[in-house]
Amino acid sequence: MIDITVEKSGKSYTRLTLDGHADFASYGNDIVCAAVSMLVINTINSIERFTDDAMQLDTDEENGFIDCAFPQGLSHDGSLLMDSAVMGLNALADQYPDNISMNLKEEKQ
C-alpha cells in the first residue's frame, strides 16, 4: 500500500510524504504506482521550475519513499500546483482504496 500524507498549517502546505508500493501489479506493470509517481514527481518538478518556493526533498526509490517539505510554505502558484496534485491523488485513492491510503493532516493556526 502507498501511504500518502499531506500536511498543512492553516491554509499553507508544509509537507508531502509517500511511503510504500501499491502492489497492484508486478514491478514495471503497476499502473497505480505509476500514476501516483507521475503526479507527485511532476508536482515537485513543477514547483521547482515555476516558483521560487523552497523545498527539502528526500527520496528512496527502492522503498517507494518521497518526503518533500516546504519549510517556508508555498506561494500562490505552489499552492495551486499542490491543490491539483491532492485532487488527483484523492481521485486515485478513491478508485484504488486497497492500494492507496490518503491522509490530510491539518494544523490549525
Side-chain angles (χ1 to χ4, degrees):
M1 169 147 330
I2 300 174
D3 292 312
I4 303 170
T5 303
V6 176
E7 296 179 29
K8 292 179 90 172
S9 179
K11 293 185 179 190
S12 183
Y13 291 98
T14 58
R15 175 172 251 112
L16 170 62
T17 307
L18 279 76
D19 193 18
H21 293 285
D23 296 322
F24 180 78
S26 62
Y27 182 80
N29 296 304
D30 194 325
I31 62 170
V32 176
C33 186
V36 170
S37 296
M38 189 65 232
L39 271 171
V40 170
I41 291 168
N42 187 66
T43 300
I44 291 169
N45 289 341
S46 295
I47 291 170
E48 184 176 50
R49 180 164 182 184
F50 299 122
T51 76
D52 293 323
D53 297 334
M55 70 175 80
Q56 298 168 340
L57 187 61
D58 183 23
T59 64
D60 181 347
E61 187 175 329
E62 188 173 315
N63 292 310
F65 178 77
I66 299 174
D67 180 47
C68 187
F70 309 108
Q72 285 95 33
L74 291 174
S75 64
H76 174 268
D77 291 344
S79 292
L80 185 59
L81 290 165
M82 276 296 295
D83 285 343
S84 179
V86 168
M87 181 180 69
L89 292 167
N90 275 326
L92 285 170
D94 288 345
Q95 190 168 0
Y96 299 98
D98 294 335
N99 307 97
I100 301 171
S101 169
M102 185 74 180
N103 305 295
L104 178 60
K105 292 184 179 179
E106 294 186 76
E107 181 180 305
K108 305 281 186 204
Q109 283 190 331

